[in-house]
Amino acid sequence: MATALNSLPKHVASRTRNSFAWNASHHVADVVGEVPALKARYPRELQVHGSWGLCQTLIAHDLIDEYRLLFFPVVLGTGKRLFGAGAIPATLKLVSSRATSTGTVISVYRRAGSLKTGSFALD
C-alpha cells in the first residue's frame, strides 16, 4: 500500500509550510479556493487523512460529497466533534455499511441535498 500511495499525487493543505519532501506533493495554500478545482481535476475521489482542522474547513464550506466514517467500539467521553459549529445542515444518504470482525462499523454516506426534517422514528 505504501508503494501505491507514494506514487499518487498528494495535495497538502498547510498554513506553515509550502514545500514537502514526500514524492508528488503539492502545496494547497487556499483550501476553499483550490479544492473545487482539485475535485474537478480528480473526479474519482480526493481523500483527507488525519486532519480534523481541514475536515472542519471542508464541512463549513460544503466541499465534501461523501463521508467514509469508521466507528470504533470504544467510549472515550471526550474528543473533537466531526460536525461542530459551522457545519452546513444537509441530508446524507447511507450508501453502504458493514462491520469488521473486531466490531468496527464502516459506513459510507453521500450528500442527498439540503436538510430534510421529519420523524426520527424507526421503521
Side-chain angles (χ1 to χ4, degrees):
M1 180 175 229
T3 301
L5 189 57
N6 281 331
S7 67
L8 294 171
K10 289 157 281 298
H11 298 275
V12 183
S14 177
R15 294 182 185 115
T16 59
R17 298 179 58 194
N18 60 15
S19 63
F20 310 94
W22 201 5
N23 181 49
S25 295
H26 309 278
H27 181 231
V28 176
D30 175 13
V31 170
V32 175
E34 295 179 50
V35 166
L38 289 172
K39 288 171 66 173
R41 183 173 169 192
Y42 303 104
R44 270 193 59 217
E45 69 182 44
L46 292 171
Q47 299 178 0
V48 175
H49 294 267
S51 179
W52 175 85
L54 176 57
C55 286
Q56 293 302 299
T57 299
L58 296 171
I59 291 168
H61 289 54
D62 200 21
L63 292 170
I64 298 179
D65 301 316
E66 180 176 278
Y67 294 89
R68 294 176 186 220
L69 304 176
L70 283 70
F71 299 93
F72 296 91
V74 296
V75 175
L76 300 176
T78 62
K80 297 176 180 175
R81 294 178 56 132
L82 177 60
F83 301 105
I88 295 174
T91 298
L92 301 175
K93 176 183 177 183
L94 180 64
V95 175
S96 66
S97 185
R98 68 179 178 91
T100 69
S101 61
T102 59
T104 299
V105 177
I106 303 168
S107 298
V108 178
Y109 293 90
R110 288 199 186 119
R111 290 294 307 269
S114 59
L115 181 65
K116 296 178 182 111
T117 58
S119 172
F120 289 98
L122 299 174
D123 293 334

